């Protein structure tokens, strides 16, 4: 979700506080526990994919795939 730009969007924007509450709700209610933990570790604890993979004893491609699916789900939920 880093560097995501919605070029050309000219519509009204929600206040930042509202946007943050919506993102928090989606992370809390719409993601699976593994997706939630991965997103929190990557974006908020600033761990890299290799560190997360080592902690979970999984391949880094599994962490990357989980993160990508979580980001897609967050985007999909925020469209509404």
């Amino acid at each position: 979700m880093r560097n995501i730009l919605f070029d050309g969007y000219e519509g009204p924007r929600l206040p930042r506080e509202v946007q943050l509450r919506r993102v928090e709700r989606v992370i809390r209610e719409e993601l699976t526990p593994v997706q939630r933990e991965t997103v929190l570790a990557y974006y908020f604890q600033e761990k890299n994919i290799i560190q997360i993979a080592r902690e979970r004893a999984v391949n880094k491609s599994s962490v990357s795939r989980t993160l990508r699916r979580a980001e897609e789900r967050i985007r999909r939920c925020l469209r509404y």
Side-chain angles (χ1 to χ4, degrees), residues 30-45:
E30 302 293 335
L31 298 182
T32 67
V34 173
Q35 289 175 335
R36 185 179 315 109
E37 290 171 11
T38 304
V39 166
L40 294 176
Y42 189 73
Y43 287 106
F44 297 99
Q45 298 170 2

Side-chain angles (χ1 to χ4, degrees), residues 10-59:
E10 298 291 330
R13 300 223 185 254
L14 294 172
R16 183 169 176 78
E17 301 81 33
V18 174
Q19 291 177 19
L20 289 174
R21 280 196 308 267
R22 289 182 68 205
V23 170
E24 289 172 355
R25 186 197 62 78
V26 169
I27 290 172
R28 187 178 57 250
E29 296 176 9
E30 302 293 335
L31 298 182
T32 67
V34 173
Q35 289 175 335
R36 185 179 315 109
E37 290 171 11
T38 304
V39 166
L40 294 176
Y42 189 73
Y43 287 106
F44 297 99
Q45 298 170 2
E46 298 181 0
K47 295 181 182 178
N48 63 37
I49 290 175
I50 295 170
Q51 291 171 323
I52 298 168
R54 283 186 190 141
E55 289 174 3
R56 297 204 178 126
V58 297
N59 195 304

